[in-house]
Amino acid sequence: MNKAAKDFADYLASKDIDSFKVEELNDEHGSVIFRSTLILNGQSIPVGIILDDTIYAIVRVNIAVRAMNDDNYYELVNLVMRLNNKSKLFKYYITPDMSVILDVCLPFNKGHLSCELLYRLVAVTARELDEHYKDFVRLLWSEKKQEK
């Protein structure tokens, strides 16, 4: 496990936070993902904290898997662009498999990850998503869209 991931795991243990499952990817960057979920509108939304041997920690939320299609493409891209223009911290994007992702990137000096700040970013991310998740639900899963 890389140093940042070890430090974060130790931080979680010291605070008795047990809502994360740890997965070591054994890739070229020594990536470790701390997986959990956010509950929004009764939905479990996957969230992960990705720590590797780079100077970046990433909080990643999988808003919707393979959700973009011909019917919602324009509106979804428009929503993602508007949200990205409003925030420096949060970046929404659409993956090649048409999933909608939200990332928060925290740069840090190697060996000096602020675990408390990283953990707080998860809460800030949850608030951001709570504010905008309804917009994604409206575009992706509304009854009107299903009737087409």
Side-chain angles (χ1 to χ4, degrees):
M1 183 178 290
N2 66 65
K3 181 175 178 357
K6 172 101 176 71
D7 290 349
F8 190 64
D10 291 346
Y11 171 81
L12 294 175
S14 74
K15 300 293 184 182
D16 293 322
I17 300 168
D18 61 0
S19 55
F20 290 91
K21 291 183 181 178
V22 180
E23 178 184 356
E24 292 187 60
L25 298 184
N26 298 313
D27 62 2
E28 67 274 10
H29 293 289
S31 302
V32 178
I33 303 177
F34 292 79
R35 296 184 190 276
S36 191
T37 57
L38 302 172
I39 306 298
L40 294 171
N41 298 338
Q43 299 288 322
S44 293
I45 311 299
V47 61
I49 297 173
I50 305 166
L51 296 165
D52 56 26
D53 64 3
T54 67
I55 61 167
Y56 303 103
I58 298 174
V59 177
R60 178 165 292 162
V61 181
N62 294 326
I63 297 172
V65 178
R66 292 182 290 283
M68 192 167 76
N69 57 45
D70 291 341
D71 293 333
N72 62 25
Y73 176 84
Y74 176 77
E75 291 173 307
L76 191 55
V77 169
N78 189 10
L79 175 60
V80 165
M81 289 175 61
R82 280 187 290 118
L83 292 173
N84 283 340
N85 284 334
K86 284 176 42 176
S87 176
K88 292 180 182 178
L89 181 60
F90 302 106
K91 291 304 164 197
Y92 296 83
Y93 62 95
I94 299 165
T95 64
D97 75 349
M98 302 302 159
S99 297
V100 181
I101 304 293
L102 168 60
D103 271 0
V104 178
C105 184
L106 175 66
F108 64 95
N109 289 329
K110 275 199 170 187
H112 297 92
L113 173 66
S114 172
C115 296
E116 182 176 355
L117 176 59
L118 180 57
Y119 185 70
R120 287 182 183 204
L121 276 176
V122 175
V124 172
T125 302
R127 282 195 302 272
E128 164 75 7
L129 199 53
D130 186 49
E131 182 179 341
H132 299 293
Y133 187 68
K134 65 186 175 305
D135 299 323
F136 287 101
V137 169
R138 181 181 51 79
L139 289 177
L140 299 171
W141 298 291
S142 71
E143 288 181 279
K144 185 162 110 177
K145 297 287 180 190
Q146 292 173 359
E147 290 173 2
K148 284 189 174 182

